[in-house]
PDB file of all heavy atoms in Angstrom:
ATOM      1  N   LYS A  75       6.834 -11.318  25.659  1.00  0.00           N
ATOM      2  CA  LYS A  75       8.009 -10.943  26.470  1.00  0.00           C
ATOM      3  C   LYS A  75       8.204  -9.465  26.370  1.00  0.00           C
ATOM      4  O   LYS A  75       8.014  -8.814  25.414  1.00  0.00           O
ATOM      5  CB  LYS A  75       9.255 -11.688  25.845  1.00  0.00           C
ATOM      6  CG  LYS A  75       9.595 -12.942  26.513  1.00  0.00           C
ATOM      7  CD  LYS A  75      10.893 -13.387  26.019  1.00  0.00           C
ATOM      8  CE  LYS A  75      11.130 -14.870  26.483  1.00  0.00           C
ATOM      9  NZ  LYS A  75      12.253 -15.450  25.841  1.00  0.00           N
ATOM     10  N   VAL A  76       8.562  -8.868  27.568  1.00  0.00           N
ATOM     11  CA  VAL A  76       8.775  -7.452  27.694  1.00  0.00           C
ATOM     12  C   VAL A  76      10.238  -7.118  27.386  1.00  0.00           C
ATOM     13  O   VAL A  76      11.135  -7.354  28.193  1.00  0.00           O
ATOM     14  CB  VAL A  76       8.458  -6.970  29.089  1.00  0.00           C
ATOM     15  CG1 VAL A  76       8.609  -5.376  29.156  1.00  0.00           C
ATOM     16  CG2 VAL A  76       6.933  -7.260  29.323  1.00  0.00           C
ATOM     17  N   LEU A 112      15.780  -2.355  11.732  1.00  0.00           N
ATOM     18  CA  LEU A 112      14.517  -2.160  11.042  1.00  0.00           C
ATOM     19  C   LEU A 112      13.719  -3.480  11.136  1.00  0.00           C
ATOM     20  O   LEU A 112      12.468  -3.429  11.260  1.00  0.00           O
ATOM     21  CB  LEU A 112      14.743  -1.633   9.606  1.00  0.00           C
ATOM     22  CG  LEU A 112      13.666  -1.019   8.896  1.00  0.00           C
ATOM     23  CD1 LEU A 112      12.969   0.004   9.689  1.00  0.00           C
ATOM     24  CD2 LEU A 112      14.192  -0.366   7.566  1.00  0.00           C
ATOM     25  N   ALA A 113      14.378  -4.500  10.954  1.00  0.00           N
ATOM     26  CA  ALA A 113      13.691  -5.851  10.962  1.00  0.00           C
ATOM     27  C   ALA A 113      12.958  -6.058  12.228  1.00  0.00           C
ATOM     28  O   ALA A 113      11.769  -6.536  12.244  1.00  0.00           O
ATOM     29  CB  ALA A 113      14.683  -6.988  10.733  1.00  0.00           C
ATOM     30  N   TYR A 116       9.831  -4.013  12.241  1.00  0.00           N
ATOM     31  CA  TYR A 116       8.703  -4.785  11.452  1.00  0.00           C
ATOM     32  C   TYR A 116       8.138  -5.874  12.276  1.00  0.00           C
ATOM     33  O   TYR A 116       6.921  -6.085  12.278  1.00  0.00           O
ATOM     34  CB  TYR A 116       9.285  -5.138  10.103  1.00  0.00           C
ATOM     35  CG  TYR A 116       9.269  -4.090   9.101  1.00  0.00           C
ATOM     36  CD1 TYR A 116      10.447  -3.503   8.649  1.00  0.00           C
ATOM     37  CD2 TYR A 116       8.067  -3.616   8.551  1.00  0.00           C
ATOM     38  CE1 TYR A 116      10.439  -2.523   7.698  1.00  0.00           C
ATOM     39  CE2 TYR A 116       8.034  -2.621   7.616  1.00  0.00           C
ATOM     40  CZ  TYR A 116       9.225  -2.114   7.212  1.00  0.00           C
ATOM     41  OH  TYR A 116       9.250  -1.116   6.201  1.00  0.00           O
ATOM     42  N   LYS A 117       9.091  -6.715  12.829  1.00  0.00           N
ATOM     43  CA  LYS A 117       8.613  -7.914  13.530  1.00  0.00           C
ATOM     44  C   LYS A 117       7.658  -7.484  14.718  1.00  0.00           C
ATOM     45  O   LYS A 117       6.659  -8.093  14.971  1.00  0.00           O
ATOM     46  CB  LYS A 117       9.736  -8.746  13.930  1.00  0.00           C
ATOM     47  CG  LYS A 117      10.378  -9.489  12.801  1.00  0.00           C
ATOM     48  CD  LYS A 117      11.665 -10.228  13.266  1.00  0.00           C
ATOM     49  CE  LYS A 117      12.384 -10.843  12.064  1.00  0.00           C
ATOM     50  NZ  LYS A 117      13.778 -11.145  12.410  1.00  0.00           N
ATOM     51  N   GLY A 136       2.963   4.118  -0.628  1.00  0.00           N
ATOM     52  CA  GLY A 136       3.594   2.810  -0.805  1.00  0.00           C
ATOM     53  C   GLY A 136       3.864   2.026   0.408  1.00  0.00           C
ATOM     54  O   GLY A 136       4.326   0.881   0.385  1.00  0.00           O
ATOM     55  N   SER A 137       3.496   2.611   1.540  1.00  0.00           N
ATOM     56  CA  SER A 137       3.894   2.027   2.822  1.00  0.00           C
ATOM     57  C   SER A 137       2.763   2.036   3.803  1.00  0.00           C
ATOM     58  O   SER A 137       1.767   2.748   3.619  1.00  0.00           O
ATOM     59  CB  SER A 137       5.146   2.717   3.360  1.00  0.00           C
ATOM     60  OG  SER A 137       4.741   4.143   3.481  1.00  0.00           O
ATOM     61  N   PHE A 138       2.971   1.320   4.914  1.00  0.00           N
ATOM     62  CA  PHE A 138       1.942   1.258   5.994  1.00  0.00           C
ATOM     63  C   PHE A 138       2.263   2.318   7.093  1.00  0.00           C
ATOM     64  O   PHE A 138       3.389   2.646   7.369  1.00  0.00           O
ATOM     65  CB  PHE A 138       1.811  -0.126   6.610  1.00  0.00           C
ATOM     66  CG  PHE A 138       1.353  -1.126   5.681  1.00  0.00           C
ATOM     67  CD1 PHE A 138       2.178  -1.979   4.972  1.00  0.00           C
ATOM     68  CD2 PHE A 138      -0.021  -1.223   5.414  1.00  0.00           C
ATOM     69  CE1 PHE A 138       1.716  -3.011   4.145  1.00  0.00           C
ATOM     70  CE2 PHE A 138      -0.583  -2.146   4.467  1.00  0.00           C
ATOM     71  CZ  PHE A 138       0.280  -3.066   3.865  1.00  0.00           C
TER      72      PHE A 138
ATOM     73  P    DG C 149      10.357   3.713   1.214  1.00  0.00           P
ATOM     74  OP1  DG C 149       9.445   4.828   1.486  1.00  0.00           O
ATOM     75  OP2  DG C 149      11.657   3.603   1.791  1.00  0.00           O
ATOM     76  O5'  DG C 149       9.566   2.353   1.525  1.00  0.00           O
ATOM     77  C5'  DG C 149       8.386   2.106   0.932  1.00  0.00           C
ATOM     78  C4'  DG C 149       7.910   0.654   1.255  1.00  0.00           C
ATOM     79  O4'  DG C 149       8.878  -0.275   0.591  1.00  0.00           O
ATOM     80  C3'  DG C 149       8.059   0.403   2.779  1.00  0.00           C
ATOM     81  O3'  DG C 149       6.756  -0.146   3.122  1.00  0.00           O
ATOM     82  C2'  DG C 149       9.152  -0.595   2.896  1.00  0.00           C
ATOM     83  C1'  DG C 149       9.264  -1.247   1.500  1.00  0.00           C
ATOM     84  N9   DG C 149      10.531  -1.721   1.083  1.00  0.00           N
ATOM     85  C8   DG C 149      11.699  -0.995   1.236  1.00  0.00           C
ATOM     86  N7   DG C 149      12.732  -1.697   0.816  1.00  0.00           N
ATOM     87  C5   DG C 149      12.262  -2.945   0.333  1.00  0.00           C
ATOM     88  C6   DG C 149      12.836  -4.082  -0.244  1.00  0.00           C
ATOM     89  O6   DG C 149      14.026  -4.243  -0.498  1.00  0.00           O
ATOM     90  N1   DG C 149      11.896  -5.117  -0.530  1.00  0.00           N
ATOM     91  C2   DG C 149      10.619  -4.967  -0.263  1.00  0.00           C
ATOM     92  N2   DG C 149       9.869  -6.072  -0.594  1.00  0.00           N
ATOM     93  N3   DG C 149       9.952  -3.878   0.236  1.00  0.00           N
ATOM     94  C4   DG C 149      10.853  -2.941   0.560  1.00  0.00           C
ATOM     95  P    DT C 150       6.382  -0.734   4.523  1.00  0.00           P
ATOM     96  OP1  DT C 150       4.975  -0.656   4.736  1.00  0.00           O
ATOM     97  OP2  DT C 150       7.361  -0.065   5.539  1.00  0.00           O
ATOM     98  O5'  DT C 150       6.821  -2.255   4.478  1.00  0.00           O
ATOM     99  C5'  DT C 150       6.180  -3.057   3.458  1.00  0.00           C
ATOM    100  C4'  DT C 150       6.746  -4.464   3.424  1.00  0.00           C
ATOM    101  O4'  DT C 150       8.140  -4.415   3.103  1.00  0.00           O
ATOM    102  C3'  DT C 150       6.780  -5.176   4.865  1.00  0.00           C
ATOM    103  O3'  DT C 150       5.919  -6.166   4.776  1.00  0.00           O
ATOM    104  C2'  DT C 150       8.228  -5.452   5.081  1.00  0.00           C
ATOM    105  C1'  DT C 150       8.839  -5.427   3.713  1.00  0.00           C
ATOM    106  N1   DT C 150      10.242  -5.156   3.539  1.00  0.00           N
ATOM    107  C2   DT C 150      11.059  -6.101   2.986  1.00  0.00           C
ATOM    108  O2   DT C 150      10.697  -7.155   2.568  1.00  0.00           O
ATOM    109  N3   DT C 150      12.384  -5.744   2.903  1.00  0.00           N
ATOM    110  C4   DT C 150      13.047  -4.619   3.385  1.00  0.00           C
ATOM    111  O4   DT C 150      14.214  -4.459   3.238  1.00  0.00           O
ATOM    112  C5   DT C 150      12.104  -3.624   3.970  1.00  0.00           C
ATOM    113  C7   DT C 150      12.658  -2.317   4.519  1.00  0.00           C
ATOM    114  C6   DT C 150      10.788  -4.040   4.070  1.00  0.00           C
ATOM    115  P    DT C 151       5.730  -7.260   5.924  1.00  0.00           P
ATOM    116  OP1  DT C 151       4.396  -7.924   5.827  1.00  0.00           O
ATOM    117  OP2  DT C 151       6.163  -6.693   7.176  1.00  0.00           O
ATOM    118  O5'  DT C 151       6.820  -8.376   5.552  1.00  0.00           O
ATOM    119  C5'  DT C 151       6.715  -8.918   4.193  1.00  0.00           C
ATOM    120  C4'  DT C 151       7.756 -10.092   4.148  1.00  0.00           C
ATOM    121  O4'  DT C 151       9.036  -9.577   4.028  1.00  0.00           O
ATOM    122  C3'  DT C 151       7.668 -11.053   5.323  1.00  0.00           C
ATOM    123  O3'  DT C 151       7.574 -12.346   4.758  1.00  0.00           O
ATOM    124  C2'  DT C 151       9.051 -10.800   6.022  1.00  0.00           C
ATOM    125  C1'  DT C 151       9.944 -10.344   4.880  1.00  0.00           C
ATOM    126  N1   DT C 151      11.035  -9.335   5.199  1.00  0.00           N
ATOM    127  C2   DT C 151      12.293  -9.620   4.831  1.00  0.00           C
ATOM    128  O2   DT C 151      12.603 -10.615   4.139  1.00  0.00           O
ATOM    129  N3   DT C 151      13.227  -8.675   5.125  1.00  0.00           N
ATOM    130  C4   DT C 151      12.945  -7.474   5.807  1.00  0.00           C
ATOM    131  O4   DT C 151      13.965  -6.688   6.079  1.00  0.00           O
ATOM    132  C5   DT C 151      11.643  -7.276   6.296  1.00  0.00           C
ATOM    133  C7   DT C 151      11.293  -6.062   7.125  1.00  0.00           C
ATOM    134  C6   DT C 151      10.720  -8.226   5.975  1.00  0.00           C
ATOM    135  P    DT C 152       7.642 -13.663   5.593  1.00  0.00           P
ATOM    136  OP1  DT C 152       6.761 -14.654   4.880  1.00  0.00           O
ATOM    137  OP2  DT C 152       7.392 -13.365   7.052  1.00  0.00           O
ATOM    138  O5'  DT C 152       9.176 -14.208   5.557  1.00  0.00           O
ATOM    139  C5'  DT C 152       9.826 -14.227   4.289  1.00  0.00           C
ATOM    140  C4'  DT C 152      11.221 -14.830   4.474  1.00  0.00           C
ATOM    141  O4'  DT C 152      12.145 -13.765   4.798  1.00  0.00           O
ATOM    142  C3'  DT C 152      11.331 -15.871   5.616  1.00  0.00           C
ATOM    143  O3'  DT C 152      12.121 -16.914   5.118  1.00  0.00           O
ATOM    144  C2'  DT C 152      11.948 -15.075   6.715  1.00  0.00           C
ATOM    145  C1'  DT C 152      12.827 -14.154   5.939  1.00  0.00           C
ATOM    146  N1   DT C 152      13.192 -12.859   6.687  1.00  0.00           N
ATOM    147  C2   DT C 152      14.445 -12.412   6.475  1.00  0.00           C
ATOM    148  O2   DT C 152      15.303 -12.864   5.798  1.00  0.00           O
ATOM    149  N3   DT C 152      14.690 -11.136   7.144  1.00  0.00           N
ATOM    150  C4   DT C 152      13.736 -10.432   7.909  1.00  0.00           C
ATOM    151  O4   DT C 152      14.077  -9.441   8.451  1.00  0.00           O
ATOM    152  C5   DT C 152      12.531 -11.076   8.023  1.00  0.00           C
ATOM    153  C7   DT C 152      11.471 -10.419   8.925  1.00  0.00           C
ATOM    154  C6   DT C 152      12.222 -12.227   7.449  1.00  0.00           C
ATOM    155  P    DG C 153      12.172 -18.358   5.834  1.00  0.00           P
ATOM    156  OP1  DG C 153      11.671 -19.361   4.847  1.00  0.00           O
ATOM    157  OP2  DG C 153      11.487 -18.169   7.175  1.00  0.00           O
ATOM    158  O5'  DG C 153      13.770 -18.474   5.977  1.00  0.00           O
ATOM    159  C5'  DG C 153      14.693 -17.926   5.075  1.00  0.00           C
ATOM    160  C4'  DG C 153      16.083 -18.266   5.486  1.00  0.00           C
ATOM    161  O4'  DG C 153      16.726 -17.099   6.144  1.00  0.00           O
ATOM    162  C3'  DG C 153      16.312 -19.381   6.518  1.00  0.00           C
ATOM    163  O3'  DG C 153      17.549 -19.970   6.172  1.00  0.00           O
ATOM    164  C2'  DG C 153      16.167 -18.651   7.794  1.00  0.00           C
ATOM    165  C1'  DG C 153      16.833 -17.316   7.568  1.00  0.00           C
ATOM    166  N9   DG C 153      16.208 -16.191   8.163  1.00  0.00           N
ATOM    167  C8   DG C 153      14.888 -15.976   8.559  1.00  0.00           C
ATOM    168  N7   DG C 153      14.667 -14.845   9.213  1.00  0.00           N
ATOM    169  C5   DG C 153      15.895 -14.228   9.182  1.00  0.00           C
ATOM    170  C6   DG C 153      16.342 -12.972   9.675  1.00  0.00           C
ATOM    171  O6   DG C 153      15.578 -12.093  10.276  1.00  0.00           O
ATOM    172  N1   DG C 153      17.668 -12.692   9.514  1.00  0.00           N
ATOM    173  C2   DG C 153      18.592 -13.608   8.937  1.00  0.00           C
ATOM    174  N2   DG C 153      19.859 -13.207   8.862  1.00  0.00           N
ATOM    175  N3   DG C 153      18.203 -14.721   8.459  1.00  0.00           N
ATOM    176  C4   DG C 153      16.926 -14.994   8.621  1.00  0.00           C
ATOM    177  P    DC C 154      18.006 -21.283   7.120  1.00  0.00           P
ATOM    178  OP1  DC C 154      18.828 -22.026   6.234  1.00  0.00           O
ATOM    179  OP2  DC C 154      16.875 -21.798   7.878  1.00  0.00           O
ATOM    180  O5'  DC C 154      18.968 -20.555   8.165  1.00  0.00           O
ATOM    181  C5'  DC C 154      19.987 -19.639   7.724  1.00  0.00           C
ATOM    182  C4'  DC C 154      20.655 -19.022   8.911  1.00  0.00           C
ATOM    183  O4'  DC C 154      19.844 -17.884   9.415  1.00  0.00           O
ATOM    184  C3'  DC C 154      20.811 -19.970  10.186  1.00  0.00           C
ATOM    185  O3'  DC C 154      22.034 -19.770  10.786  1.00  0.00           O
ATOM    186  C2'  DC C 154      19.725 -19.514  11.082  1.00  0.00           C
ATOM    187  C1'  DC C 154      19.772 -18.099  10.849  1.00  0.00           C
ATOM    188  N1   DC C 154      18.557 -17.301  11.284  1.00  0.00           N
ATOM    189  C2   DC C 154      18.779 -15.949  11.628  1.00  0.00           C
ATOM    190  O2   DC C 154      19.852 -15.415  11.554  1.00  0.00           O
ATOM    191  N3   DC C 154      17.718 -15.186  12.028  1.00  0.00           N
ATOM    192  C4   DC C 154      16.453 -15.802  12.139  1.00  0.00           C
ATOM    193  N4   DC C 154      15.441 -14.990  12.501  1.00  0.00           N
ATOM    194  C5   DC C 154      16.319 -17.110  11.737  1.00  0.00           C
ATOM    195  C6   DC C 154      17.295 -17.777  11.287  1.00  0.00           C
ATOM    196  P    DT C 158      22.294  -9.796  25.363  1.00  0.00           P
ATOM    197  OP1  DT C 158      22.265  -8.320  25.254  1.00  0.00           O
ATOM    198  OP2  DT C 158      23.244 -10.542  26.130  1.00  0.00           O
ATOM    199  O5'  DT C 158      20.762 -10.188  25.936  1.00  0.00           O
ATOM    200  C5'  DT C 158      19.613  -9.940  25.208  1.00  0.00           C
ATOM    201  C4'  DT C 158      18.441 -10.405  25.952  1.00  0.00           C
ATOM    202  O4'  DT C 158      18.138 -11.754  25.686  1.00  0.00           O
ATOM    203  C3'  DT C 158      18.591 -10.219  27.474  1.00  0.00           C
ATOM    204  O3'  DT C 158      17.393 -10.075  27.985  1.00  0.00           O
ATOM    205  C2'  DT C 158      19.044 -11.730  27.837  1.00  0.00           C
ATOM    206  C1'  DT C 158      18.105 -12.508  26.827  1.00  0.00           C
ATOM    207  N1   DT C 158      18.514 -13.885  26.572  1.00  0.00           N
ATOM    208  C2   DT C 158      17.480 -14.758  26.210  1.00  0.00           C
ATOM    209  O2   DT C 158      16.323 -14.472  26.202  1.00  0.00           O
ATOM    210  N3   DT C 158      17.921 -16.022  25.848  1.00  0.00           N
ATOM    211  C4   DT C 158      19.232 -16.473  25.878  1.00  0.00           C
ATOM    212  O4   DT C 158      19.512 -17.618  25.581  1.00  0.00           O
ATOM    213  C5   DT C 158      20.279 -15.489  26.167  1.00  0.00           C
ATOM    214  C7   DT C 158      21.660 -15.871  26.225  1.00  0.00           C
ATOM    215  C6   DT C 158      19.792 -14.208  26.604  1.00  0.00           C
ATOM    216  P    DG C 159      17.041  -8.927  29.025  1.00  0.00           P
ATOM    217  OP1  DG C 159      17.125  -7.638  28.338  1.00  0.00           O
ATOM    218  OP2  DG C 159      17.752  -9.163  30.248  1.00  0.00           O
ATOM    219  O5'  DG C 159      15.439  -9.130  29.280  1.00  0.00           O
ATOM    220  C5'  DG C 159      14.570  -9.344  28.203  1.00  0.00           C
ATOM    221  C4'  DG C 159      13.354 -10.259  28.610  1.00  0.00           C
ATOM    222  O4'  DG C 159      13.880 -11.624  28.530  1.00  0.00           O
ATOM    223  C3'  DG C 159      12.916 -10.113  29.989  1.00  0.00           C
ATOM    224  O3'  DG C 159      11.478 -10.387  29.872  1.00  0.00           O
ATOM    225  C2'  DG C 159      13.618 -11.161  30.789  1.00  0.00           C
ATOM    226  C1'  DG C 159      13.848 -12.224  29.773  1.00  0.00           C
ATOM    227  N9   DG C 159      15.140 -12.984  29.794  1.00  0.00           N
ATOM    228  C8   DG C 159      16.337 -12.455  30.194  1.00  0.00           C
ATOM    229  N7   DG C 159      17.316 -13.367  30.132  1.00  0.00           N
ATOM    230  C5   DG C 159      16.675 -14.528  29.728  1.00  0.00           C
ATOM    231  C6   DG C 159      17.170 -15.810  29.476  1.00  0.00           C
ATOM    232  O6   DG C 159      18.321 -16.203  29.555  1.00  0.00           O
ATOM    233  N1   DG C 159      16.174 -16.686  29.088  1.00  0.00           N
ATOM    234  C2   DG C 159      14.886 -16.366  28.892  1.00  0.00           C
ATOM    235  N2   DG C 159      14.112 -17.370  28.494  1.00  0.00           N
ATOM    236  N3   DG C 159      14.401 -15.211  29.093  1.00  0.00           N
ATOM    237  C4   DG C 159      15.307 -14.289  29.477  1.00  0.00           C
ATOM    238  P    DG C 160      10.485 -10.447  31.146  1.00  0.00           P
ATOM    239  OP1  DG C 160       9.192 -10.062  30.611  1.00  0.00           O
ATOM    240  OP2  DG C 160      11.243  -9.709  32.149  1.00  0.00           O
ATOM    241  O5'  DG C 160      10.482 -11.971  31.438  1.00  0.00           O
ATOM    242  C5'  DG C 160       9.652 -12.865  30.770  1.00  0.00           C
ATOM    243  C4'  DG C 160       9.622 -14.199  31.396  1.00  0.00           C
ATOM    244  O4'  DG C 160      10.945 -14.806  31.289  1.00  0.00           O
ATOM    245  C3'  DG C 160       9.230 -14.192  32.776  1.00  0.00           C
ATOM    246  O3'  DG C 160       8.209 -15.125  33.097  1.00  0.00           O
ATOM    247  C2'  DG C 160      10.527 -14.530  33.558  1.00  0.00           C
ATOM    248  C1'  DG C 160      11.296 -15.261  32.565  1.00  0.00           C
ATOM    249  N9   DG C 160      12.734 -15.078  32.795  1.00  0.00           N
ATOM    250  C8   DG C 160      13.384 -13.983  33.129  1.00  0.00           C
ATOM    251  N7   DG C 160      14.684 -14.192  33.200  1.00  0.00           N
ATOM    252  C5   DG C 160      14.935 -15.418  32.823  1.00  0.00           C
ATOM    253  C6   DG C 160      16.139 -16.157  32.596  1.00  0.00           C
ATOM    254  O6   DG C 160      17.249 -15.888  32.776  1.00  0.00           O
ATOM    255  N1   DG C 160      15.779 -17.480  32.102  1.00  0.00           N
ATOM    256  C2   DG C 160      14.579 -18.002  31.843  1.00  0.00           C
ATOM    257  N2   DG C 160      14.478 -19.205  31.344  1.00  0.00           N
ATOM    258  N3   DG C 160      13.469 -17.249  31.988  1.00  0.00           N
ATOM    259  C4   DG C 160      13.712 -16.074  32.470  1.00  0.00           C
TER     260       DG C 160
END
Side-chain angles (χ1 to χ4, degrees):
Chain A
K75 263 190 196 171
V76 179
L112 197 46
Y116 276 111
K117 286 171 185 167
S137 56
F138 293 101

